[in-house]
Amino acid sequence: MKLDAAVSLLGALAQESRLALFRLLVQKGPDGIAAGEIAERLGVAPNALSFHLKELSKVGLLKSRQEGRFIYYAPDFKVMNGLVAYLSENCCAGSKTADPCCPPR
């Protein structure tokens, strides 16, 4: 992952409602959750939710699928894990202690 991609991903998450939304979707897993249920669980107005879903989708953090009248959203775990890997790529590289600050994979 390149720096500009990481900045875009982190920028999309740097808003309270979007971070809460993304965390909810991560908890639900790859099957995702319908937009209406997201709005209900987070107490977000549908128009605001639509904006936040668009922002997270635009940077690639979300996947969506339509089933009948419902649109389900789920995190793109490959993108999420890429960001986490980028952030921890050189974890503790300069540490002189025996204890690793990042747990092994």
Side-chain angles (χ1 to χ4, degrees), residues 84-85 87-93 95 97-105:
V84 171
L87 292 172
S88 58
E89 187 172 88
N90 296 311
C91 181
C92 301
S95 177
T97 65
D99 291 334
C101 27
C102 300
R105 291 183 174 209

Side-chain angles (χ1 to χ4, degrees), residues 34 63-73:
K63 295 179 178 184
S64 63
R65 73 179 189 288
Q66 188 157 359
E67 289 185 15
R69 295 181 8 207
F70 301 100
I71 300 175
Y72 288 79
Y73 291 89

Side-chain angles (χ1 to χ4, degrees), residues 1-15 18-19 22 52 54-62 75-87:
M1 176 173 293
K2 295 188 178 194
L3 177 62
D4 58 337
V7 168
S8 293
L9 294 170
L10 290 169
L13 292 170
Q15 198 280 340
R18 285 195 291 272
L19 184 57
F22 190 72
H52 295 310
K54 181 184 72 125
E55 291 298 306
L56 292 172
S57 296
K58 184 170 64 174
V59 297
L61 282 167
L62 299 185
D76 187 325
F77 286 103
K78 182 177 179 183
V79 173
M80 181 192 79
N81 289 331
L83 177 60
V84 171
Y86 175 81
L87 292 172

